[in-house]
Amino acid sequence: MTMRRMWLFYTLAWIAYSILIALAIQIDGLSKGQFDLQLAMYSEINTLPAALTLALIWPMTGLMERKGLRPLSIVFTHILLSLVFGFFWHYAVSGFMQMIVHVKEIEAVRPLSAYIWPFLYSLMMYGVVAAIFHTVRSSEARRMQALAATQAQGLLVVAELASLRNKLNPHFLFNTLHSIIALMRKDGKAAEAALFRFSDMLRYVLDTEKNGTTHVALEDELNFVRDYLNLEALRLGHRLNVDWQLDEMAGGFGIPPLTVQPLVENSIKHAFNPRSQPGNLLIKTRLKALHGELEITIRDDGPGAELADVHASSGIGVKTVERRLQLEYGKRASFSINTAPGQGFEICLTIPISSM
């Protein structure tokens, strides 16, 4: 609750209370169709000092909070203050207001017992207002704590995303350089061409890192993957057959950089490197506009693996992408692996669509 809303509620509550009292003290007259405006005004005016005085409890509760008083000390302090308020309001302010409005119904001298119930009533008023103010402060403190926790969690997610991204960059560099080194042993000229392609790929990685880009267009990520596959094709030759099934409508939507390449690289490493026979790699994108999702599928016809072995693997590429999607999108993203020995390897992910 904002301060403005709290004080608006406080003012309206006192206005409603004063009107109720104004009607209650002349209920007999109202039952006979009579309304005493002077008595009603007296009630309204007599309520004002209480409302103003009890408003001072708000800064008092703030002072208690800053001093870090224990609950017992707070209760004891309020008991003393409520007694002071009871005497001040009922015997001084109320008496003064009665004097200036010249209410005839109020006798100049009343027995002491006539003051007991109003005095206890004033203590109750103090207690209610103090409890409300403490409740508002506690609620605000919990809200601020929850906000701080949310912000801390957000910073933690950002830090972990940056950490995961920092893992992917060296991972990509090491594996690609390893491929180029392997190519140098077979074909020096092709390795030279690969280095040029590699420089273009480095520019993509460094630009996204330098600009702090959290999302790139799917089309740019796929161009990066295409450069990577062209580089790998220099080494794998006819063994690498890529089937691109791309949804043209999906190319403009954003995804985290280095989302697709590590998955393709995983297939190259496990499906194409170990064997000498040609293999097929499917890269498929699909815009699921009705669901507000972008679906990306990477599938190879390699040897496959037991799913338990995949999860137990020490490789970081696939796991890092999965974790990044969890942090970035939570339950709005999905990441599934379908594989079995001899049945290839497929990764299918969906993420919410976001325009660039």
Side-chain angles (χ1 to χ4, degrees):
M1 180 184 292
T2 63
M3 292 301 97
R4 185 176 179 180
R5 290 177 59 189
M6 187 198 74
W7 287 116
L8 177 62
F9 174 79
Y10 182 84
T11 303
L12 293 177
W14 274 105
I15 291 175
Y17 167 79
S18 64
I19 293 175
L20 178 64
I21 294 299
L23 296 175
I25 61 177
Q26 51 182 320
I27 187 67
D28 293 335
L30 290 174
S31 64
K32 299 175 182 175
Q34 300 173 352
F35 179 73
D36 189 334
L37 180 60
Q38 184 181 24
L39 196 57
M41 291 301 297
Y42 158 73
S43 174
E44 296 293 326
I45 296 173
N46 196 38
T47 303
L48 181 62
L52 295 177
T53 305
L54 292 178
L56 297 176
I57 298 176
W58 175 254
M60 184 61 64
T61 56
L63 180 63
M64 293 176 180
E65 190 176 87
R66 289 192 296 274
K67 293 290 185 183
L69 295 184
R70 296 180 178 179
L72 189 60
S73 299
I74 293 175
V75 171
F76 182 72
T77 303
H78 278 308
I79 289 175
L80 290 179
L81 291 175
S82 65
L83 293 174
V84 172
F85 169 75
F87 281 105
F88 173 76
W89 177 67
H90 188 71
Y91 292 107
V93 179
S94 180
F96 174 74
M97 297 304 297
Q98 292 172 14
M99 179 183 69
I100 63 173
V101 297
H102 304 294
V103 180
K104 297 178 181 179
E105 288 81 356
I106 299 175
E107 298 177 357
V109 179
R110 289 189 293 179
L112 182 60
S113 59
Y115 292 91
I116 294 299
W117 287 112
F119 180 71
L120 293 177
Y121 180 71
S122 66
L123 297 185
M124 184 190 70
M125 267 201 309
Y126 180 97
V128 170
V129 173
I132 291 174
F133 282 162
H134 275 293
T135 300
V136 170
R137 287 197 179 276
S138 297
S139 175
E140 183 65 11
R142 287 195 297 272
R143 189 183 71 82
M144 294 303 294
Q145 288 174 352
L147 180 62
T150 301
Q151 290 175 338
Q153 183 65 28
L155 291 174
L156 186 63
V157 168
V158 170
E160 187 172 352
L161 280 171
S163 173
L164 292 173
R165 186 169 171 175
N166 290 335
K167 281 182 181 178
L168 278 178
N169 290 346
H171 179 260
F172 156 73
L173 292 175
F174 175 80
N175 287 347
T176 307
L177 284 173
H178 183 77
S179 295
I180 293 176
I181 291 171
L183 186 61
M184 283 179 177
R185 294 170 184 159
K186 296 171 57 180
D187 188 341
K189 194 172 181 179
E192 184 180 353
L195 281 173
F196 281 111
R197 291 189 182 278
F198 182 56
S199 65
D200 292 337
M201 298 173 69
L202 271 182
R203 187 174 297 112
Y204 173 84
V205 174
L206 294 177
D207 284 350
T208 56
E209 185 71 28
K210 180 180 177 181
N211 299 331
T213 306
T214 57
H215 289 79
V216 296
L218 174 62
E219 185 177 9
D220 292 338
E221 175 76 1
L222 293 177
N223 286 335
F224 176 69
V225 171
R226 191 173 280 106
D227 286 339
Y228 169 73
L229 288 173
N230 287 335
L231 188 151
E232 290 290 358
L234 294 173
R235 181 172 60 88
L236 297 172
H238 70 284
R239 289 189 289 155
L240 177 60
N241 298 306
V242 183
D243 181 13
W244 297 87
Q245 297 183 15
L246 305 181
D247 187 340
E248 293 182 356
M249 301 295 292
F253 291 100
I255 64 170
L258 291 177
T259 295
V260 181
Q261 189 274 337
L263 308 183
V264 172
E265 182 183 301
N266 180 72
S267 287
I268 296 295
K269 180 179 179 181
H270 297 287
F272 292 88
N273 286 346
R275 66 181 183 184
S276 57
Q277 298 300 316
N280 298 306
L281 176 67
L282 170 68
I283 300 176
K284 181 179 178 181
T285 62
R286 185 161 68 109
L287 177 64
K288 301 168 70 175
L290 291 177
H291 298 86
E293 294 177 343
L294 183 62
E295 183 181 83
I296 301 172
T297 303
I298 309 297
R299 182 168 65 231
D300 63 61
D301 58 355
E306 292 287 354
L307 197 55
D309 294 338
V310 175
H311 291 306
S313 168
S314 60
I316 66 171
V318 174
K319 291 179 180 176
T320 301
V321 172
E322 182 180 13
R323 181 58 179 158
R324 287 177 73 201
L325 295 182
Q326 288 175 349
L327 292 172
E328 183 86 21
Y329 303 107
K331 294 182 178 178
R332 295 180 299 151
S334 67
F335 188 94
S336 62
I337 299 175
N338 301 305
T339 184
Q343 298 186 18
F345 195 92
E346 179 188 271
I347 295 177
C348 183
L349 63 91
T350 60
I351 60 175
I353 57 175
S354 59
S355 300
M356 292 298 299

